[in-house]
Amino acid sequence: MRPSTSTIAVIAVLIALAFAPLYLGAYPLTLLGRVLALSIASIGVSVVWGRTGILSLGQGLFFGLGGYALAMHLKLVATPKGELPDFMLYNGVEKLPWFWAPFASAPFALAMVLILPAAAAGLVAWLMFRRRITGVYVSIITQALLLAFVTWLNGSQGLTSGTNGITDYQTFLGVGLRGPDVAHGLYWVTLLFVALALGGTAALLRTPFGAILTAIRDNENRTRFLGFNPAAFKIAAFMLGGLLAGVSGALYTLHLGTISPAMIGTAFSIELVVWVALGGRASLIGAAAGLVLGQLAKDRISSAAPDAWLYVMGALFVLVVLVMPQGVAGLIQNRRRPPAPMPAPQNPVAQNPVTREVSDAV
């Protein structure tokens, strides 16, 4: 079967990105690696919002769980054996907290990067969807949970380093995190995860599971009357979104070298939704491309005019809502779609039951 034009375009872009270390400088490559890590979270938003119709404003919660799970391991590795992390010493902590100890193991930490966000998303979704909570109430609840998590992080100075976040780690799995060769390797690993997230999620959504998610988005009651349990499918989609956000948070932590409450707050979650809406929430590629291009534009514009950036982002969101509700990807898809054929002209005499009866009699 001949590949579609969009598939060829995606492969071409991935190939161009794979060779980016050969033609980009140190800072542009680092920035591109960071935004590619964030694009994995946007794929999760596309599944939850674009395919299932659930607008979550708390994806930063799952992003942060993945980032903190990995950062805790990196901090313990960077701490001399038998000692406590520096921020615990500064705050008078005398013994390593029980929930920190298992993160000294790399396999455990990597497993928690996947399990913690997915499990937290599953629990939140189960509590909401089993009671048939929908619409704006889901957005309010997820944002409230994110605020509670960020507040706890800020107030737990001796446990999570509070507002400063967890930082000052140099190695991962015995490999130093500094140097151009390591930066290139981390970039390629991130690109590989982006490709796997796109390909794996797209393949999953082409199954009956994806069709049922679309049916739930379009008419949940009708889907329920057909014998399906919408809550179970919505929980599964929410868990997938949480899993992708956790992986994104872990990769972003490796790129940035730190994780803090300021990086995962409501501003991050809302900005994530804005870029997904701009790219096209119903398209995995559109959501990822919207975030990548939006973040790159943010870096350029905020550097040139720091005070104007928030107004630009607000104007873009208003533009999407009023002019392009399906985003750029939806606009392109609509223009590529052939126009619907005009209905055949009908004979008004033939459509009249009285004249049709007379004609048949004759």
Side-chain angles (χ1 to χ4, degrees):
M1 184 175 63
R2 185 178 179 182
S4 64
T5 304
S6 59
T7 302
I8 296 174
V10 171
I11 294 175
V13 170
L14 289 175
I15 293 174
L17 290 174
F19 288 99
L22 302 180
Y23 56 83
L24 288 182
Y27 176 74
L29 184 66
T30 300
L31 177 62
L32 182 58
R34 292 175 184 174
V35 299
L36 285 176
L38 289 176
S39 71
I40 299 176
S42 71
I43 297 171
V45 174
S46 178
V47 173
V48 174
W49 184 27
R51 180 56 69 101
T52 319
I54 304 169
L55 178 56
S56 169
L57 296 180
Q59 292 301 104
L61 168 61
F62 315 120
F63 180 90
L65 286 174
Y68 269 91
L70 185 61
M72 289 166 68
H73 167 71
L74 297 176
K75 189 64 176 179
L76 289 176
V77 171
T79 303
K81 190 174 182 179
E83 298 184 12
L84 295 176
D86 49 10
F87 66 86
M88 292 186 182
L89 295 175
Y90 302 153
N91 288 276
V93 177
E94 299 180 353
K95 184 180 179 181
L96 189 69
W98 64 269
F99 62 89
W100 269 78
F103 285 91
S105 167
F108 179 85
L110 292 175
M112 288 299 103
V113 167
L114 304 176
I115 295 173
L116 275 179
L123 177 61
V124 172
W126 180 77
L127 291 173
M128 292 190 300
F129 302 138
R130 75 185 183 93
R131 305 184 71 87
R132 300 188 182 182
I133 296 175
T134 59
V136 67
Y137 301 104
V138 173
S139 303
I140 294 172
I141 291 172
T142 51
Q143 191 172 55
L145 290 173
L146 172 61
L147 284 171
F149 180 58
V150 170
T151 302
W152 178 78
L153 290 175
N154 285 328
S156 303
Q157 190 74 28
L159 301 178
T160 64
S161 192
T163 55
N164 297 320
I166 302 177
T167 186
D168 193 23
Y169 32 78
Q170 307 295 328
T171 62
F172 175 55
L173 298 178
V175 179
L177 296 176
R178 301 294 179 267
D181 293 337
V182 176
H184 292 174
L186 183 57
Y187 170 83
W188 280 316
V189 168
T190 303
L191 183 60
L192 175 62
F193 272 94
V194 173
L196 291 174
L198 276 174
T201 306
L204 178 64
L205 294 181
R206 283 195 294 267
T207 65
F209 173 78
I212 294 173
L213 293 184
T214 303
I216 292 172
R217 179 196 65 191
D218 295 341
N219 196 319
E220 183 173 341
N221 287 331
R222 181 175 296 177
T223 306
R224 184 179 293 108
F225 294 153
L226 290 174
F228 297 100
N229 181 8
F233 289 93
K234 292 166 75 173
I235 291 171
F238 209 78
M239 290 180 68
L240 177 58
L243 174 67
L244 291 172
V247 173
S248 174
L251 288 171
Y252 192 74
T253 300
L254 283 175
H255 279 281
L256 201 61
T258 183
I259 183 74
S260 69
M263 295 164 50
I264 65 174
T266 54
F268 166 77
S269 296
I270 293 175
E271 191 173 317
L272 189 62
V273 169
V274 170
W275 295 136
V276 170
L278 179 63
R281 64 180 184 270
S283 167
L284 299 179
I285 298 172
L291 185 135
V292 170
L293 296 177
Q295 287 290 331
L296 293 177
K298 174 184 177 181
D299 178 77
R300 184 64 61 89
I301 297 174
S302 61
S303 299
D307 296 333
W309 168 244
L310 291 178
Y311 297 102
V312 172
M313 188 173 69
L316 285 174
F317 187 68
V318 172
L319 176 68
V320 169
V321 172
L322 296 180
V323 181
M324 298 184 299
Q326 299 302 320
V328 175
L331 184 65
I332 295 174
Q333 186 177 3
N334 290 336
R335 289 194 173 186
R336 290 174 55 187
R337 184 179 301 157
M342 294 293 293
Q346 298 176 350
N347 187 347
V349 175
Q351 293 299 312
N352 189 311
V354 176
T355 57
R356 186 170 64 246
E357 183 177 351
V358 173
S359 176
D360 292 342
V362 174

